[in-house]
Amino acid sequence: MMKTLPRRINERFNKLSLRAKLTFGFLLVLSSTVIVGATSLFIVNRGAAAIERLLDTETRIADISRQSEVAVRLTRQNEKDFLLQYRVLGFDEAKARYATLLKVEVAEIHQNMDAIRQLVADESVISETRTVDQAIDQFEMKFLATTELIKQRGFFDVGAEGQFRRKIQQVEAILTQQHAPNLLVDMLTLRRREKNFLLRDRREGAVAVKESAIELQHRIAGSDLQPDVKEALRRLVSDYQALFEEYVQLDDKITTETEIYRTVIHSVEPPLGQVRAWALQRAEASREQVLQSSRTNGRIVFVTVPIATVLGLLLTFFISRSIAGGVNEVMVFAGRLAQGDLGARMKRASHDEFGAIATALNRLAEQLQKNRDALLAENTERKRAEAELEMIHKQLVNASRRAGMAEVATGVLHNVGNVLNSVNVSTAIVVEQLQKSRISRLTEVAKLLADHAANLPEFLTIDERGRNLPEFLAQLAAHLNRETREMAEEMRAVSENVEHIKGIVHTQQSYAGSFGVLEPIDLRESIEDALRINSAALNRHEVDIVRKLEAIPAVVVDKHKVLQILVNLISNAKYAMSDSPVKTLTLRTCLSSDGGIQLSIHDTGSGIAAENITRIFAHGFTTKRDGHGFGLHSSALAAKEMNAMLIASSDGAGQGAVFTLVFPPAVPERVAA
Amino acid sequence: MMLSQKAIVAGTSKICGLIALLGITLFAGGCPDETGKQKERRSSPAAHHQTIRLAGSSTMAPLVEALGRRFQTLHPEVVIQVEMGGSSRGIQAARDGSCNIGMVGRPLNDDERDLIGFPIARDGVCLIVHKDNPITSLSFEQVLGIYTGKIKNWKEVGGNDATIRALNRQEGRAQSELFSQFFKMKSEDFKTAGVAGDNEEGVKDVVENPNAIVYMSIGEAEIRIGQGNPVKSLLMDGIAATSRNVRNGYFPIQRPLMLVTRTLPSGLTKAFIDFALSPNATAVIRECSFVPYLD
């Protein structure tokens, strides 16, 4: 899907750190924004500048050109007004008025051209303004020169016209005075032609006037007038001819000059129009530039913003993909780790933070894997040890059970032995009694009687012995009676003792078959059983038994374990009290405040030294001369198996000791029971 | 895991898509306005493009075209359309409104007073001969005689004993039209030794043939003479062939060149006529060998 370039970009991009990516991305977007903004600003400023220039320069130039064109028109109007009015107002007044106005306009045009030149740098425009300046100067010069020619030419009675008119008027006066009607006609012909010429201003008209003047000269020369009159007329006509010729030449020159300055003034408007057109085109160009700028601006925004957006999107895509990919990879990786696949590793080779995370996680996984392997090994070992331990425990339990049994059995045997001792004593007494019994004397009595069967009466009467026989028999009878009574007593003791043995054995038997059976028992019964098992020894040691047995609920336990513990504790107490002056064994049952059951055995024996109080339950600890250090240890174990606790306490050596068997508060089984 | 990865990627693309959509909407919203404005603005000059249609005198066509070009430098949005077809076509087109301005190379007749005429220049035709030709002036009859073949030798009109080499001008040219109209002839009826295509050709012929005679526009003749060519213009019936004499109406073979409209001109038509009447036209009129009104 990805092409080579995007892939390369992607690869390059992925080499960057996340921070670098974000920085790069934001910088890119920011710089794009800044570029767009700056460009827009630049273009807007340029546009504003262009508008300003447009307003300031082009419009002003166009205005000035237009004003100048108007000024040119006014100039031309003043020129025409002068030409129209000088005959009416008189030359000087007309010139003062119209030529002055014309000069004002010309000056304004010059000022305008200067103003344009200051506004533009365009060579062609400057050249046009120079053309205008030159032309208008030339026009002004030519026009003013022409007005002088016009003044020279004159009209009616001034200038050349006035002069030649006065000459011919003098001729007319002389001819009238001389009464020369023919010459007067010729003169009037000349004047008619002259008037025609003045009216029509045609070259052939001038020629006709000249011809008439020559004709008049001929006529005057050929007339019969006085020579001095002729001479005066000739001179006057000659002057007239010269003056008329001057007039014609002036007139021709004026026409020529007028054509020239008009041509010149006609050449002013086109460059002004060109300048105005140039200004308007520039204005249009400026407008176009502004529009172009705004279009460019729009295009830049239109192009840059999508590019920035696309870049931003791409960056977002890449970064989010990078992050998502990174997060996903971490999640996948974490998931695999969670599922126990500690062999999993993250494959990211990127240089960003995810790369660092991947590296760290990989190390973590490695460490985890190592730890787990170690744990597994340890676990196997532990399991094996546990199995071993369990086996040992079982063995121990068995051993302890056996030990318990043995303990009980020891107690039983001990007591049985004690009882048997009594039985033995009784039997010995009976045997001794029997051995030294006077019953044999009865046999002697019988033999005596048998020997004296024949003379029985005499014997009984005579013989001394016979005579003492009844008393002897009575004494014997009494002795035998006593003996029998004593023996019966002994035998009864034997019988009692045998019964006792039977009870002990029975008790022991009653426990023997109940191993491992949990049943509700009354602890008080167990106490009585334990006392019974130990009764012989307790009796022998003359231990006072004090029972403070409160009514307590039944406890569901292995009663053998309880018995084992109690036998052991009672035996220990009896042992501890063997040298004590006061031998009191106090047995107590009670409910503890928390609902548990406490069974305590308080002796007045040798007590437990403070340093031993923590060691007494340890295997092998004993204070007995022939002890194994096994009894309390196995009792504690048995208590633990019953979920009970065996607590020892003592105020010190010689202060007696209290062993308390604590059953925890009621559990459902016990309550149910 | 895979699912959540997809979900994240999908989420990302959704966001991207949303942003893209937003962007597109923004720009799609901004775009048509921009292009619309551009189109409108671009089309506006075309909409402002206005045409001034002129029709009529073929004599005036080059002058009006030249004036049009000059006018366009001041009014770039204007298109000047010039059709030829003679002065009567100018009258007709102005009258029926098929053009804005008619070009008429003569004064309006009495039956054309419904139209409004603006003379913009004058056209005069003179005859030129070699400078060494002793003839200085010819009467109308002499000119007509020469061009109708009745007068064949210069000595018949007071000149050297030499055969007159009369040159006609190409039919349809302004000079030919004015000249033949003045003599109430048709150009093809002239019996001449040759035809000079343009002014250059005519002047060259006269320079090379001292016995040649050719007619051309007075303005052109003045320019050629001013350039030092060994030619001179003949007085026509005693009247010098000068622009001044054309301008002041003394020279006989001349006519006004008129722009005619059906009504008083307004708008662009008025602008063009104003231009043609203004000093702006003076130089152009001269360049076209016509005589401007120097007012």
Side-chain angles (χ1 to χ4, degrees):
Chain A
M1 233 169 95
M2 285 282 218
K3 299 283 179 292
T4 353
L5 185 66
R7 180 170 295 169
R8 234 183 298 147
I9 290 169
N10 199 19
E11 281 169 5
R12 283 272 171 89
F13 190 71
N14 278 339
K15 279 182 184 171
L16 296 172
S17 78
L18 198 59
R19 193 171 166 182
K21 280 175 200 166
L22 286 171
T23 311
F24 172 70
F26 280 115
L27 277 180
L28 202 65
V29 171
L30 273 176
S31 55
S32 304
T33 314
V34 166
I35 287 168
V36 170
T39 316
S40 297
L41 203 67
F42 173 71
I43 287 165
V44 165
N45 282 344
R46 208 175 57 164
I51 289 169
E52 208 171 329
R53 274 208 309 281
L54 166 81
L55 291 173
D56 261 19
T57 311
E58 279 88 351
T59 313
R60 272 190 66 195
I61 290 172
D63 278 353
I64 291 169
S65 304
R66 174 56 86 189
Q67 283 169 19
S68 302
E69 285 175 72
V70 171
V72 171
R73 296 278 169 112
L74 286 171
T75 308
R76 290 172 59 208
Q77 188 196 319
N78 286 319
E79 176 247 346
K80 306 245 178 324
D81 284 344
F82 172 80
L83 294 178
L84 278 171
Q85 297 291 335
Y86 75 90
R87 287 169 202 270
V88 180
L89 303 177
F91 177 84
D92 289 328
E93 198 179 334
K95 189 176 177 185
R97 181 176 167 83
Y98 298 110
T100 309
L101 286 172
L102 185 143
K103 282 178 182 173
V104 169
E105 297 302 332
V106 167
E108 190 194 320
I109 292 165
H110 281 314
Q111 281 174 9
N112 287 347
M113 293 305 104
D114 277 341
I116 289 172
R117 277 194 293 273
Q118 280 174 4
L119 285 171
V120 294
D122 191 293
E123 272 307 319
S124 68
V125 174
I126 290 172
S127 163
E128 298 279 26
T129 61
R130 300 258 184 236
T131 306
V132 170
D133 275 337
Q134 282 172 14
I136 204 78
D137 273 343
Q138 199 188 355
F139 164 78
E140 187 184 18
M141 194 186 75
K142 289 270 181 192
F143 172 72
L144 293 176
T146 306
T147 60
E148 288 308 310
L149 292 176
I150 288 168
K151 188 182 181 181
Q152 284 177 38
R153 186 186 65 180
F155 53 96
F156 299 123
D157 48 355
V158 296
E161 188 179 341
Q163 284 174 2
F164 72 69
R165 194 189 295 263
R166 273 190 294 279
K167 294 291 178 193
I168 205 70
Q169 281 169 349
Q170 286 174 24
V171 170
E172 187 179 356
I174 290 170
L175 288 177
T176 307
Q177 191 190 8
Q178 295 292 325
H179 300 287
N182 290 337
L183 287 177
L184 207 59
V185 169
D186 287 337
M187 187 277 298
L188 287 174
T189 303
L190 168 65
R191 292 218 65 188
R192 181 171 55 84
R193 289 186 170 175
E194 175 213 295
K195 293 288 173 281
N196 278 344
F197 169 73
L198 289 178
L199 277 172
R200 291 199 63 192
D201 192 23
R202 290 180 74 159
R203 199 161 290 183
E204 57 268 33
V207 171
V209 170
K210 285 173 195 168
E211 283 172 356
S212 285
I214 292 164
E215 182 67 21
L216 185 61
Q217 284 285 35
H218 282 302
R219 292 291 182 94
I220 289 168
S223 69
D224 50 357
L225 292 170
Q226 295 292 322
D228 58 330
V229 175
K230 277 187 181 178
E231 179 55 26
L233 286 172
R234 188 197 61 78
R235 205 170 290 157
L236 281 171
V237 172
S238 183
D239 286 347
Y240 171 86
Q241 281 177 307
L243 286 165
F244 183 79
E245 182 59 31
E246 188 190 338
Y247 178 94
V248 169
Q249 281 175 13
L250 278 169
D251 191 57
D252 192 53
K253 200 172 178 191
I254 286 165
T255 308
T256 307
E257 290 298 312
T258 304
E259 281 187 352
I260 289 169
Y261 75 66
R262 282 185 179 172
T263 305
V264 168
I265 194 74
H266 278 207
S267 72
V268 171
E269 273 183 65
L272 284 175
Q274 290 300 317
V275 169
R276 188 160 56 90
W278 175 87
L280 291 174
Q281 277 164 15
R282 276 288 293 270
E284 176 64 25
S286 298
R287 200 177 76 101
E288 188 60 33
Q289 191 189 351
V290 171
L291 286 169
Q292 186 65 40
S293 294
S294 110
R295 275 201 299 277
T296 310
N297 197 8
R299 241 176 269 141
I300 285 169
V301 171
F302 189 65
V303 169
T304 320
V305 171
I307 287 173
T309 310
V310 167
L311 276 174
L313 288 176
L314 279 174
L315 277 167
T316 310
F317 173 72
F318 278 128
I319 291 171
S320 61
R321 206 183 61 158
S322 174
I323 292 172
V327 169
N328 278 327
E329 232 172 299
V330 169
M331 280 167 70
V332 169
F333 179 66
R336 286 180 68 185
L337 285 187
Q339 285 167 5
D341 182 7
L342 295 181
R345 291 289 180 274
M346 289 182 73
K347 280 173 194 142
R348 282 182 78 90
S350 63
H351 294 265
D352 61 8
E353 286 78 352
F354 284 110
I357 288 174
T359 312
L361 285 176
N362 280 340
R363 266 210 301 275
L364 175 73
E366 226 162 85
Q367 200 56 45
L368 274 173
Q369 199 178 16
K370 262 189 216 165
N371 289 352
R372 194 188 61 167
D373 287 350
L375 265 174
L376 274 175
E378 206 179 282
N379 203 29
T380 315
E381 180 59 28
R382 204 189 66 219
K383 272 185 181 161
R384 199 186 57 73
E386 265 176 9
E388 204 171 321
L389 215 76
E390 197 164 347
M391 205 179 72
I392 290 168
H393 178 72
K394 274 182 187 160
Q395 286 172 352
L396 261 173
V397 167
N398 280 338
S400 104
R401 188 180 297 133
R402 277 197 296 274
M405 284 169 67
E407 193 80 4
V408 174
T410 307
V412 168
L413 286 176
H414 189 70
N415 281 287
V416 168
N418 279 337
V419 178
L420 279 177
N421 205 31
S422 298
V423 171
N424 207 25
V425 168
S426 298
T427 313
I429 290 167
V430 171
V431 167
E432 199 184 328
Q433 200 97 33
L434 282 173
Q435 278 173 351
K436 61 183 186 186
S437 178
R438 303 290 173 79
I439 199 124
S440 52
R441 295 280 185 91
L442 203 51
T443 312
E444 287 170 13
V445 168
K447 198 180 164 201
L448 200 60
L449 281 170
D451 288 350
H452 296 306
N455 50 354
L456 209 43
E458 63 242 8
F459 178 69
L460 288 171
T461 40
I462 314 158
D463 195 340
E464 183 130 13
R465 287 187 303 177
R467 223 188 10 182
N468 288 340
L469 197 56
E471 195 182 345
F472 174 72
L473 276 175
Q475 282 180 341
L476 184 67
H479 184 76
L480 279 176
N481 269 339
R482 197 177 66 241
E483 204 173 60
T484 304
R485 210 168 49 243
E486 279 175 14
M487 279 171 60
E489 190 62 31
E490 284 305 324
M491 286 319 289
R492 196 182 51 78
V494 167
S495 170
E496 235 171 58
N497 281 338
V498 168
E499 201 58 39
H500 191 186
I501 288 166
K502 196 176 155 193
I504 290 169
V505 170
H506 181 74
T507 304
Q508 202 266 343
Q509 275 176 338
S510 78
Y511 283 89
S514 65
F515 281 127
V517 177
L518 296 180
E519 52 190 318
I521 58 160
D522 188 341
L523 288 176
R524 288 172 297 185
E525 283 178 12
S526 296
I527 290 168
E528 292 304 332
D529 285 342
L531 285 172
R532 188 177 303 122
I533 287 169
N534 281 311
S535 61
L538 292 169
N539 285 341
R540 194 157 54 81
H541 288 91
E542 296 173 335
V543 174
D544 289 333
I545 307 292
V546 178
R547 289 181 175 81
K548 293 185 176 172
L549 303 175
E550 291 177 15
I552 47 166
V555 184
V556 181
V557 284
D558 181 349
K559 64 178 182 181
H560 187 268
K561 287 196 174 87
V562 177
L563 185 71
Q564 175 199 335
I565 295 164
L566 292 178
V567 168
N568 180 249
L569 291 177
I570 291 168
S571 163
N572 286 349
K574 177 206 73 186
Y575 182 82
M577 290 188 294
S578 49
D579 294 329
S580 300
V582 182
K583 299 176 181 171
T584 309
L585 183 68
T586 309
L587 297 146
R588 196 190 301 268
T589 57
C590 66
L591 277 168
S592 66
S593 57
D594 63 352
I597 293 165
Q598 293 188 351
L599 189 164
S600 61
I601 296 168
H602 185 194
D603 66 58
T604 53
S606 55
I608 306 163
E611 66 268 24
N612 290 334
I613 196 107
T614 54
R615 295 161 54 201
I616 53 168
F617 294 112
H619 180 72
F621 179 84
T622 184
T623 52
K624 295 179 185 170
R625 279 184 304 279
D626 54 350
H628 300 98
F630 184 74
L632 271 178
H633 178 67
S634 67
S635 292
L637 282 178
K640 202 172 178 181
E641 278 178 30
M642 288 190 297
N643 200 27
M645 214 169 25
L646 187 56
I647 303 165
S649 66
S650 171
D651 293 338
Q655 299 296 311
V658 185
F659 282 85
T660 311
L661 184 61
V662 182
F663 290 92
V667 290
E669 285 90 343
R670 206 171 64 212
V671 172
Chain B
M1 273 304 165
M2 288 313 286
L3 224 142
S4 60
Q5 185 175 7
K6 271 179 192 166
I8 286 172
V9 170
T12 316
S13 355
K14 254 184 214 168
I15 291 164
C16 287
L18 208 73
I19 294 167
L21 202 74
L22 191 74
I24 287 162
T25 316
L26 271 172
F27 289 109
C31 201
D33 272 6
E34 175 76 4
T35 48
K37 272 178 197 162
Q38 279 183 17
K39 271 179 193 165
E40 189 190 329
R41 203 193 45 69
R42 275 175 189 160
S43 68
S44 65
H48 287 176
H49 255 274
Q50 292 179 355
T51 306
I52 304 175
R53 289 192 309 281
L54 297 104
S57 163
S58 50
T59 304
M60 289 176 72
L63 170 63
V64 169
E65 279 170 1
L67 284 174
R69 280 194 295 277
R70 196 61 71 89
F71 185 71
Q72 276 175 325
T73 64
L74 304 177
H75 303 270
E77 74 281 6
V78 177
V79 173
I80 310 280
Q81 221 174 60
V82 179
E83 288 169 30
M84 291 185 277
S87 294
S88 52
R89 160 105 172 84
I91 295 284
Q92 191 197 336
R95 212 172 243 163
D96 64 19
S98 64
C99 69
N100 304 98
I101 302 169
M103 302 180 290
V104 179
R106 56 174 173 76
L108 292 177
N109 299 327
D110 285 343
D111 59 348
E112 291 158 3
R113 296 294 167 195
D114 55 324
L115 297 172
I116 296 155
F118 300 91
I120 58 168
R122 279 187 166 175
D123 182 21
V125 166
C126 66
L127 289 156
I128 64 164
V129 293
H130 196 275
K131 205 167 70 176
D132 295 343
N133 194 319
I135 298 295
T136 58
S137 181
L138 288 173
S139 67
F140 299 138
E141 290 76 19
Q142 287 172 329
V143 173
L144 192 59
I146 289 167
Y147 272 86
T148 50
K150 287 172 187 160
I151 298 168
K152 292 184 166 65
N153 197 300
W154 281 112
K155 68 178 180 187
E156 292 176 57
V157 291
N160 300 326
D161 182 9
T163 306
I164 297 170
R165 175 177 163 81
L167 294 170
N168 199 358
R169 300 300 299 275
Q170 219 165 43
E171 200 184 341
R173 279 190 166 266
Q175 298 77 25
S176 164
E177 188 186 48
L178 176 56
F179 193 73
S180 54
Q181 279 175 357
F182 181 81
F183 290 103
K184 300 187 169 54
M185 298 277 291
K186 285 186 174 174
S187 187
E188 65 259 31
D189 294 338
F190 289 135
K191 295 182 172 62
T192 56
V195 174
D198 56 16
N199 296 317
E200 183 72 42
E201 208 176 305
V203 171
K204 199 183 163 205
D205 203 308
V206 171
V207 169
E208 287 168 1
N209 299 291
N211 297 313
I213 182 169
V214 69
Y215 62 91
M216 63 172 55
S217 103
I218 287 172
E220 186 68 29
E222 283 181 331
I223 292 167
R224 299 285 170 180
I225 292 162
Q227 284 170 352
N229 287 300
V231 293
K232 62 179 180 184
S233 57
L234 297 176
L235 274 68
M236 186 59 64
D237 215 18
I239 297 168
T242 61
S243 289
R244 186 189 300 178
N245 283 342
V246 172
R247 193 175 300 122
N248 59 27
Y250 297 161
F251 192 79
I253 310 177
Q254 62 139 305
R255 54 178 174 173
L257 302 177
M258 316 229 333
L259 299 178
V260 299
T261 58
R262 191 170 54 169
T263 56
L264 282 173
S266 62
L268 205 57
T269 304
K270 180 175 183 294
F272 183 74
I273 290 172
D274 282 348
F275 181 80
L277 295 174
S278 79
N280 284 299
T282 305
V284 182
I285 290 165
R286 272 192 213 284
E287 281 161 20
C288 293
S289 306
F290 296 119
V291 178
Y293 293 100
L294 281 180
D295 45 17

